[in-house]
């Protein structure tokens, strides 16, 4: 199946980035204005708003420079200065959006998030707000969708569920197999402790990564986020399922519990993201799936089988991000008992409703941040833009519902 060419998109996005301060650790674009979704006649809608996220090391300094360059992008909060803007940014998912901004003949929306907040979300799923957007297929600068193994095709890509996260790094404490790590060409071979061997090369079907600096901790966090998405999806799927089922589950993680899926978003959103882009999901996740010891990946059939034994599910639960483990623990453990996390997760692993418990845990992460972020829009966009933006979302939701019922 031929993948759509996006030859002019790189120039278009670079021109947008040129309007902003260049001190970015990561910048990516996402949404229906960037890539085709089901229901679009050909490609991304030229009339749709372009959505961006900028990760910056120092939010106060970046907002100060952006106020100098693009003061009109901000709501009335601009009169309070960069420190107060940063204070508002830190609420909810820790991201500050300027919306309905005219730029190069298009309307854009861009969010600003600190690099540390982004890394925390990627590693621990504190809100899953931005981490969820980065669980979609990634295209590299040459237009290919893939993970690249810097050590060559003969080296093993490690994707084990017996993994613990310590101080933001990935550690393997269960076996003494050699673990390879490569972060920006610093190649080492160690035993027991290492970074993940995968390095992301960018651009994406739902997310297009435009620029990224050499932050090894951010690199490791981006990979960890993808592995966590696969682990969580496995726990919510049956023993045997299709690749499309897996990608639907992964794409839907950050919408689980999002109140905007009730009012404000097309309820077929996840399906619309996945259906046209299955080949890109395959290219992003195939190496991870092929290397997981608990899955039988029948690539030629598009089918997968996973270990649903209590032992297998316990290993997966132990590999989940810290915040999700905490939410699951609070759901299962009665107040006052204060049992160990491992004891509680072992109980969940034996529960026939294990997948539902994981889903509820994810919902408890997503719902609060989605509510606060939506409420913040009134401050960050102003009343007029908030109403306009909300009406556009409701229109898209209604359009999707009519398309589904016709």
């Amino acid at each position: 199946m031929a993948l759509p060419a996006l030859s002019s998109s790189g120039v278009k996005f670079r021109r947008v980035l040129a309007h902003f301060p260049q001190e970015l650790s990561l910048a990516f674009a996402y949404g229906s204005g960037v890539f085709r979704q089901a229901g679009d006649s050909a490609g991304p809608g030229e009339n749709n708003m372009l959505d961006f996220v900028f990760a910056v090391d120092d939010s106060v300094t970046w907002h100060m420079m952006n106020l100098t360059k693009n003061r009109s992008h901000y709501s009335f909060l601009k009169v309070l200065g960069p420190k107060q803007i940063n204070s508002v940014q830190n609420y909810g998912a820790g991201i500050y959006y300027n919306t309905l901004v005219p730029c190069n003949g298009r309307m854009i929306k861009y969010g600003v998030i600190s690099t540390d907040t982004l890394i925390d979300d990627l590693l621990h799923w504190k809100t899953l707000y931005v981490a969820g957007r980065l669980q979609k297929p990634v295209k590299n600068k040459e237009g290919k969708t893939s993970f690249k193994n810097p050590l060559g095709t003969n080296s093993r890509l490690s994707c084990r569920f017996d993994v613990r996260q310590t101080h933001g790094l990935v550690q393997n404490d269960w076996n003494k197999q050699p673990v390879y790590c490569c972060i920006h060409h610093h190649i080492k071979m160690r035993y027991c402790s290492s970074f993940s061997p995968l390095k992301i090369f960018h651009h994406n079907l739902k997310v297009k990564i435009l620029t990224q600096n050499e932050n090894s901790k951010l690199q490791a966090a981006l990979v960890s986020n993808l592995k966590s998405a696969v682990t969580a999806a496995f726990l919510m799927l049956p023993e045997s399922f299709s690749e499309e089922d897996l990608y639907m589950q992964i794409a839907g993680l950050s919408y689980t519990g999002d109140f905007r899926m009730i009012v404000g978003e097309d309820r077929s959103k996840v399906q619309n993201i996945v259906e046209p882009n299955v080949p890109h999901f395959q290219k992003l996740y195939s190496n991870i799936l092929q290397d997981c010891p608990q899955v039988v990946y029948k690539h030629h059939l598009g089918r997968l089988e996973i270990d649903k034994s209590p032992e297998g599910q316990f290993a997966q639960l132990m590999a989940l991000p810290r915040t999700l483990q905490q939410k699951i623990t609070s759901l299962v453990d009665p107040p006052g008992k204060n049992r160990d996390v491992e004891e509680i997760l072992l109980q969940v692993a034996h529960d026939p409703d294990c997948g539902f418990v994981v889903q509820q845990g994810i919902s408890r992460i997503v719902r609060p941040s989605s509510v606060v972020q939506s409420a913040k829009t009134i401050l960050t966009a102003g009343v007029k833009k908030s109403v306009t933006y909300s009406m556009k979302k409701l229109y898209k939701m209604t359009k999707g519902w009519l398309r589904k019922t016709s």
Side-chain angles (χ1 to χ4, degrees):
M1 179 178 178
L3 304 182
L6 297 170
S7 56
S8 63
S9 62
V11 175
K12 175 174 64 179
F13 294 124
R14 282 195 296 271
R15 285 175 177 169
V16 171
L17 287 183
H19 287 266
F20 297 94
Q22 297 302 297
E23 288 73 10
L24 305 173
S25 60
L26 177 72
F28 64 89
Y30 64 97
S32 59
V34 181
F35 296 110
R36 188 172 75 89
Q37 296 183 10
D40 294 337
S41 56
E46 288 298 315
N47 294 324
N48 292 341
M49 187 161 57
L50 292 172
D51 298 314
F52 296 88
V53 168
F54 302 150
V56 301
D57 290 339
D58 185 339
S59 296
V60 174
T61 300
W62 195 92
H63 283 299
M64 180 178 66
M65 292 188 292
N66 197 43
L67 281 166
T68 302
K69 295 188 71 171
N70 301 302
R71 191 172 180 84
S72 64
H73 294 184
Y74 290 83
S75 68
F76 67 91
L77 291 177
K78 62 192 169 195
V79 302
L80 302 178
K83 289 185 179 180
Q84 291 303 315
I85 288 172
N86 184 62
S87 295
V88 174
Q89 176 178 311
N90 290 333
Y91 284 101
I95 186 167
Y96 185 103
Y97 273 105
N98 284 324
T99 189
L100 293 175
V101 174
C103 185
N104 289 350
R106 295 285 297 272
M107 281 293 180
I108 71 168
K109 176 182 76 173
Y110 64 93
V112 182
I113 186 171
S114 79
T115 306
D116 287 342
T117 299
L118 174 59
I119 290 172
D120 191 36
D121 197 30
L122 292 167
L123 287 175
H124 306 304
W125 288 10
K126 187 175 180 180
T127 67
L128 251 181
Y129 199 86
V130 180
R133 284 158 173 75
L134 287 165
Q135 290 166 351
K136 313 301 187 295
V138 176
K139 281 181 96 179
N140 69 21
K141 292 180 181 179
E142 288 72 40
K144 299 175 183 177
T145 309
S146 66
F147 269 128
K148 186 162 287 190
N149 182 356
L151 298 173
T153 56
N154 294 325
S155 57
R156 184 168 178 79
L157 299 177
S158 177
C159 176
R160 304 182 65 84
F161 284 113
D162 50 0
V163 170
R164 293 175 180 172
Q165 293 174 350
T166 306
H167 305 302
L169 308 182
V170 177
Q171 279 200 316
N172 183 336
D173 296 324
W174 276 264
N175 58 61
K176 297 290 183 177
Q177 295 178 353
V179 183
Y180 299 89
C181 63
C182 179
I183 302 295
H184 289 284
H185 313 297
H186 301 296
I187 302 177
K188 299 178 181 179
M189 186 174 79
R190 297 179 180 173
Y191 291 85
C192 294
S193 177
S194 80
F195 284 115
S196 161
L198 297 178
K199 179 180 176 182
I200 296 181
F201 287 72
H202 321 291
H203 288 232
N204 156 330
L205 249 288
K206 176 65 177 166
V207 176
K208 179 182 285 292
I209 294 183
L210 308 172
T211 184
Q212 182 177 340
N213 69 8
E214 296 195 4
N215 183 326
S216 60
K217 193 174 180 181
L218 177 56
Q219 289 275 0
L222 286 162
V223 176
S224 176
N225 179 47
L226 295 178
K227 291 183 179 180
S228 295
V230 170
T231 306
F234 280 173
L235 285 161
M236 293 186 286
L237 287 163
E239 186 174 2
S240 177
F241 49 91
S242 70
E243 280 188 88
E244 189 167 331
D245 291 335
L246 173 64
Y247 305 141
M248 288 281 287
Q249 198 70 250
I250 289 172
L253 290 174
S254 61
Y255 299 114
T256 303
D258 190 335
F259 88 100
R260 294 171 300 176
M261 296 302 290
I262 301 172
V263 178
E265 289 284 5
D266 183 352
R267 296 182 189 181
S268 301
K269 189 178 183 75
V270 174
Q271 185 178 352
N272 293 344
I273 292 168
V274 174
E275 282 188 351
N277 301 314
V278 168
H280 299 276
F281 276 90
Q282 289 173 328
K283 289 191 175 185
L284 177 59
Y285 285 103
S286 62
N287 283 336
I288 292 175
L289 296 174
Q290 288 170 4
D291 207 62
C292 286
Q294 292 183 326
V295 64
V296 177
Y297 181 30
K298 302 176 182 178
H299 184 271
H300 60 293
L301 298 175
R303 302 289 303 178
L304 300 96
E305 296 176 3
I306 54 175
D307 179 7
K308 298 298 287 186
S309 69
E311 294 78 15
Q313 293 195 140
F314 177 65
Q316 293 164 17
L317 288 164
M318 288 297 294
L320 290 175
R322 181 180 64 201
T323 304
L324 181 51
Q325 289 181 342
Q326 292 170 346
K327 297 297 181 183
I328 291 171
T329 299
S330 66
L331 279 166
V332 175
D333 198 33
K337 288 198 72 173
N338 297 322
R339 292 184 295 166
D340 290 338
V341 172
E342 290 190 21
E343 182 185 349
I344 297 167
L345 295 182
L346 182 60
Q347 176 188 328
V348 175
H350 284 81
D351 190 334
D353 294 324
C354 174
F356 178 73
V357 174
V358 173
Q359 183 183 46
Q360 290 299 104
I362 294 172
S363 179
R364 287 195 172 193
I365 294 173
V366 173
R367 185 179 294 112
S369 62
S370 70
V371 171
V372 175
Q373 280 299 134
S374 296
K376 272 170 59 173
T377 302
I378 299 172
L379 294 176
T380 60
V383 175
K384 184 179 178 180
K385 281 187 176 181
S386 296
V387 172
T388 303
Y389 182 70
S390 298
M391 292 303 294
K392 286 178 179 288
K393 284 287 187 180
L394 287 170
Y395 171 75
K396 287 181 70 174
M397 182 185 73
T398 305
K399 186 179 177 182
W401 179 80
L402 290 173
R403 184 172 61 243
K404 190 173 182 179
T405 56
S406 62

